[in-house]
Every structure is written in structure tokens, then in C-alpha cells.
Amino acid sequence: MGAARGAIDAALEAGVPVPDVYLGVLQPALYEIGRCWAVGNCSVADEHSATAVTQSLLGMLGPRMRTAPKDGRLAVVTGSPEERHALGVQMVSDFLEGDGWEVLNLGASTPARDLARLVDAERPDVVALSTSTPAGLPGAADAVGALAALEPRPLVVLGGQLWHGRAREDAGRLGADLVVDDPRELVALLRERFPPLPPDAEERAG
Ligand code: B12
């Protein structure tokens, strides 16, 4: 853990931006752990250790990304039902917070009905659902269905590794509004749909 933290500290001191650490260091390291585990060269213990180290690093780096929410844009970010992969959820949340969104991060595996209840109460502009494996497809479908039945309905965005594969063709049929791979692309697309207040308006509002 000390070595990983030291390497990240050195990268930050050398001027590497935090988003680049997320997408250029932490994400590839985890994908490599997954590949190593899949071919039998890494154990579940190795994966758990990498997950714990990454969680701790995100705890350190997240606050450096955040900007105070300022213009009332609210997003809910969660793993789809039965989805236990949560680091992508955290990263997406941090990117949104970095662009001034207020974020309710529900973590992994929120049941569809409970998610819909919370969204009905909180009225976010956007719900970002993360799904990693094909086994998560029914849960994602349930969640999209429950959200689509709300009035008003939020913008529903799907993301995560499930949609990199053949399931992407199913995504539109589920009734989601967007499928987006990269948190930076998400931030850019949401800026178009929900433009942040210009700085002078913020000052007047604040
Ligand atoms: C750590 C890990 C686990 C941990 C997760 C712990 C935790 N607290 O998150 C645990 C042990 C729980 C786990 C369980 C399983 N895992 Co696993 N896991 C991983 C591993 C090694 C890393 C996951 C990760 O954090 N990646 C890094 C994050 C940052 O990447 P990401 O999720 O893709 O997110 C990025 C983007 O996709 C995007 N994104 C993600 N969501 C969204 C949403 C929106 C809206 C947007 C815009 C963007 C976006 O933003 C992120 C930043 O760029 C991966 C390897 C891999 N390739 O990822 C395997 C992997 C995902 N797991 C795998 C498997 C098979 C499983 C299990 C089925 C194993 C088992 N037999 O039990 C279970 C499934 C559990 C479940 N029901 O979900 C396979 C999936 C293969 C497949 N196609 O089916 C992988 C790919 C490993 C492999 N190579 O085989 N796993």
C-alpha cells in the first residue's frame, strides 16, 4: 500500500492531473489484475488487495477532484441491481463532482425498486448506472424499466464494461437514453444537456 501511495504521490508532484491517474494508472492496473486472475496467475486475495488499495487511493484523490456543487445539478450514480463492482461507480461520481455536480453515490447493487423510490424523492437530473458483467443485464433492465416509469423521468445513462461487448445492441432496447463508456465523455455530454450556470450568474445566486 505504501508503495502504491508513494507512486501516486510522485505522479501528482510531477504534475500528472488526478483524472489521468484515475484513467491512466488505476483503471489499467485493475484491468490487468482482472486479466491476471482470469488466466489463473493472480489469486482472489491479490484482487481483493488491489481493490482495497484502490479504494484507499480513491479516498485520497477524490477530494482533490471535487468542486463545491453550485448550480443545483444533481446526479445519482449506482451499480445496477446485483452488480458488485463499485470502483467504476466511485470514479464516475468523482468525475461528476469535479464538474460541479452534486452526486448521490449509492455504491454497488441498488435494487431497482429502491433506486426508483429514491429517484422519485430526490428528482435528480441524471441517473448513471454501472454494469460490468453479462449476468448484470437483467438487473440493468429492471432498473431502467423502473426509472422509465417515473414522472418526471431522469435522463438514464448506462455505462460499464458490460456495454463494451455484444450487450451494447440491447442497451437501446432497454429504454436508456445514453450509453457512455468514459466518464469524461459523460461530463461533456451532460454539460450540453444541463449547462452549468455561468460564473457571473453563480456569483449573483451565491
Ligand atoms: C475488483 C473486481 C471484482 C471485485 C469488485 C470489488 C469492488 N468493491 O468493486 C469483486 C471480488 C466483488 C468481483 C466480483 C466478480 N467479478 Co470481478 N473484477 C474485478 C476487477 C479485477 C476490477 C474491477 C474494477 O474496479 N475495474 C476498474 C474500474 C474503474 O473500471 P470499470 O468498472 O470499467 O469503470 C470504468 C468505466 O467502465 C466507466 N464506467 C463504469 N461504469 C460506468 C457508468 C457510466 C454511466 C459511465 C458513463 C461510465 C462508467 O468508468 C470507469 C472509469 O473509466 C475486474 C477486471 C476489470 N476488467 O475491470 C474483474 C471483472 C470485472 N470481474 C469479473 C468477474 C467474472 C466477476 C465475478 C462473476 C466473479 C465470480 N465468479 O464471482 C464476480 C461478479 C460479482 C457481481 N455480481 O457483480 C470479470 C468479468 C468478465 C465478464 N465479462 O463477465 C472481470 C472483467 C475479470 C476478468 N478478466 O475475468 N470482481
Side-chain angles (χ1 to χ4, degrees):
M1 176 65 209
R5 198 176 273 264
I8 298 294
D9 282 343
L12 295 172
E13 265 166 40
V16 179
V18 175
D20 291 352
V21 173
Y22 274 43
L23 302 185
V25 180
L26 300 177
Q27 178 173 314
L30 286 157
Y31 282 14
E32 174 54 21
I33 289 282
R35 192 201 58 76
C36 180
W37 170 77
V39 299
N41 288 341
C42 295
S43 67
V44 170
D46 294 325
E47 171 277 306
H48 282 12
S49 167
T51 298
V53 168
T54 309
Q55 276 166 339
S56 166
L57 291 170
L58 292 180
M60 172 183 83
L61 295 170
R64 294 179 184 231
M65 293 256 280
R66 258 163 234 147
T67 55
K70 47 185 185 282
D71 48 22
R73 294 179 303 158
L74 177 63
V76 168
V77 186
T78 182
S80 53
E82 312 295 334
E83 178 59 61
R84 288 175 55 208
H85 297 93
L87 298 174
V89 172
Q90 183 66 54
M91 287 194 186
V92 170
S93 298
D94 290 350
F95 272 89
L96 289 173
E97 288 189 340
D99 199 46
W101 284 80
E102 184 176 352
V103 176
L104 294 173
N105 174 356
L106 310 184
S109 185
T110 305
R113 196 196 300 185
D114 295 333
L115 174 62
R117 273 206 201 117
L118 178 131
V119 167
D120 196 30
E122 298 290 341
R123 302 281 167 98
D125 305 291
V126 181
V127 178
L129 283 173
S130 178
T131 312
S132 296
T133 68
L137 185 56
D142 286 350
V144 174
L147 294 170
L150 294 176
E151 187 55 53
R153 62 164 285 176
L155 188 81
V156 179
V157 187
L158 301 177
Q161 291 173 70
L162 167 64
W163 312 108
H164 298 181
R166 282 169 49 198
R168 200 174 189 98
E169 293 161 21
D170 299 317
R173 284 195 289 276
L174 299 187
D177 298 291
L178 294 170
V179 188
V180 182
D181 295 324
D182 186 315
R184 289 194 233 223
E185 194 191 340
L186 176 67
V187 165
L189 285 166
L190 294 182
R191 272 190 162 243
E192 285 168 20
R193 292 194 180 228
F194 306 98
L197 285 178
D200 60 331
E202 272 166 33
E203 274 160 29
R204 281 200 304 273

